[in-house]
Amino acid sequence: MYKVDKDFYKEHGWVLIESAIPESSIVKIKEKGLKLRLWVEDKLGTPSQFGPLTHWKGIGCAGMYDEELYKFYQSRTMFTIASQLVEKEKLWLFNDQMVIKLPGDDFGFDIHRDNEFVQGNEEGKIHTVNLGVVLDDFTDLNGTIEVKGNNQEWSVTYPKKGDIIAINGNTPHCSSPNYSDNSRGLYACVYSE
């Protein structure tokens, strides 16, 4: 059973929740994520039906393309974790994004805060939390996540498959490309107060 360290999250702006999602769910999510990632490869730069205006390597509003992903995004488990961190019972679904880095994929993320991309919440006055469901063990080779906590210190994280890395929308973070021979996946489920 997972444990949510709310105090660590408040103090640092992020927290690792170990063994939060069962293996059977991770396998299904990863399978669906890989299909979506391969599907979008030929559509890069073209208009998208959901999420961002054009397709890119990450699949925004992934649950709109797959009913089971959408059910997971709305699941009691995910809402319970998000509501503990946001400290609100009523939450809004903001975005669910599938991020699969293919083997040798030059697909990384520069330093950013999720809220800087939210029209009307660039200053982060509305609490958002990104619950990144880890689909593979993260390593330096496949593009782990670095976060800059509220103490202004950078931390390199090494989450394992089934963990959740929860990142406050105001917390700077980044991720390097995947230089490994295997895909590396994360299903980012974002909620707001």
Side-chain angles (χ1 to χ4, degrees), residues 120-146:
N121 196 35
E122 296 88 349
E123 294 180 21
K125 293 180 180 178
I126 299 170
H127 190 164
T128 64
V129 63
N130 179 339
L131 300 185
V133 178
V134 179
L135 306 178
D136 301 285
D137 293 354
F138 283 18
T139 67
D140 290 327
L141 193 60
N142 71 10
T144 194
I145 293 178
E146 296 181 52

Side-chain angles (χ1 to χ4, degrees), residues 37-188:
R37 177 63 171 88
L38 295 173
W39 168 80
V40 82
E41 193 69 16
D42 293 332
K43 296 172 177 29
L44 298 177
T46 65
S48 63
Q49 186 176 0
F50 307 107
L53 295 177
T54 58
H55 289 292
W56 62 294
K57 290 183 179 184
I59 295 89
C61 296
M64 298 302 288
Y65 296 100
D66 186 283
E67 185 178 339
E68 285 187 55
L69 289 178
Y70 194 63
K71 284 180 183 176
F72 178 84
Y73 180 34
Q74 297 182 83
S75 70
R76 177 181 297 271
T77 297
M78 296 301 282
F79 264 89
T80 298
I81 293 170
S83 65
Q84 287 179 59
L85 296 173
V86 174
E87 297 185 319
K88 302 278 184 187
E89 285 190 33
K90 184 175 181 178
L91 295 176
W92 298 92
L93 299 174
F94 182 76
N95 182 26
D96 64 319
Q97 182 172 286
M98 187 60 70
V99 180
I100 302 286
K101 296 181 181 186
L102 298 175
D105 200 355
D106 187 24
F107 176 25
F109 290 91
D110 292 333
I111 298 169
H112 68 282
R113 297 176 305 105
D114 289 347
N115 282 340
E116 70 186 78
F117 302 108
V118 181
Q119 187 175 14
N121 196 35
E122 296 88 349
E123 294 180 21
K125 293 180 180 178
I126 299 170
H127 190 164
T128 64
V129 63
N130 179 339
L131 300 185
V133 178
V134 179
L135 306 178
D136 301 285
D137 293 354
F138 283 18
T139 67
D140 290 327
L141 193 60
N142 71 10
T144 194
I145 293 178
E146 296 181 52
V147 291
K148 184 177 183 181
N150 295 337
N151 61 3
Q152 301 304 308
E153 292 182 16
W154 282 95
S155 298
V156 179
T157 64
Y158 296 96
K160 302 290 185 199
K161 181 169 41 173
D163 293 349
I164 289 177
I165 182 159
I167 304 173
N168 183 296
N170 293 324
T171 300
H173 57 286
C174 60
S175 175
S176 57
N178 180 8
Y179 297 112
S180 77
D181 295 329
N182 299 300
S183 63
R184 189 284 258 170
L186 177 90
Y187 183 32

